Amino acid sequence: MPYSDQGPRSDAAHHIILEEREALTVSGVEEVERFDETSIVMNTVRGTLVVQGEGLHIEQLSLDGGDLKVEGTIDALTYEERAQERGGLLARLFR
């Protein structure tokens, strides 16, 4: 998985392109919180995005440009409320 990290861009646009439920491209990604074969949780400039599916893997991640490419079978894309991600250190540890 190619990886580049030179910090998130606050002025980045946020776009999602889903092709045949097998390839997903997301722009405006600030951070990938966690991932496995069934879910990917990422912070974007528009909130926390959760991708659910099967056989998911991150094909490319560039935090410098804010771009993420995912391959696998994509079942759902869901946004979580931004207020939930803004908790203090203890709130984040006990989530």
Side-chain angles (χ1 to χ4, degrees):
M1 164 180 64
Y3 176 76
S4 173
D5 181 14
Q6 294 183 5
R9 294 178 9 197
S10 61
D11 62 341
H14 179 56
H15 301 283
I16 297 175
I17 300 171
L18 179 61
E19 301 175 46
E20 302 289 329
R21 288 184 58 194
E22 295 175 354
L24 175 70
T25 303
V26 182
S27 64
V29 175
E30 296 178 333
E31 174 186 22
V32 175
E33 284 190 17
R34 61 186 180 275
F35 64 92
D36 59 32
E37 289 188 351
T38 60
S39 68
I40 300 172
V41 179
M42 67 190 87
N43 292 328
T44 72
V45 295
R46 296 291 182 193
T48 300
L49 176 62
V50 179
V51 178
Q52 295 176 322
E54 296 178 13
L56 301 177
H57 65 275
I58 297 174
E59 186 67 27
Q60 181 179 3
L61 173 61
S62 171
L63 293 180
D64 180 35
D67 298 319
L68 174 80
K69 293 185 181 185
V70 176
E71 290 187 355
T73 303
I74 295 150
D75 295 329
L77 301 170
T78 310
Y79 283 92
E80 294 180 352
E81 294 295 321
R82 261 201 183 274
Q84 293 176 355
E85 72 183 62
R86 295 289 184 219
L89 177 62
L90 290 177
R92 292 187 70 160
L93 287 174
F94 293 109
R95 248 197 288 181

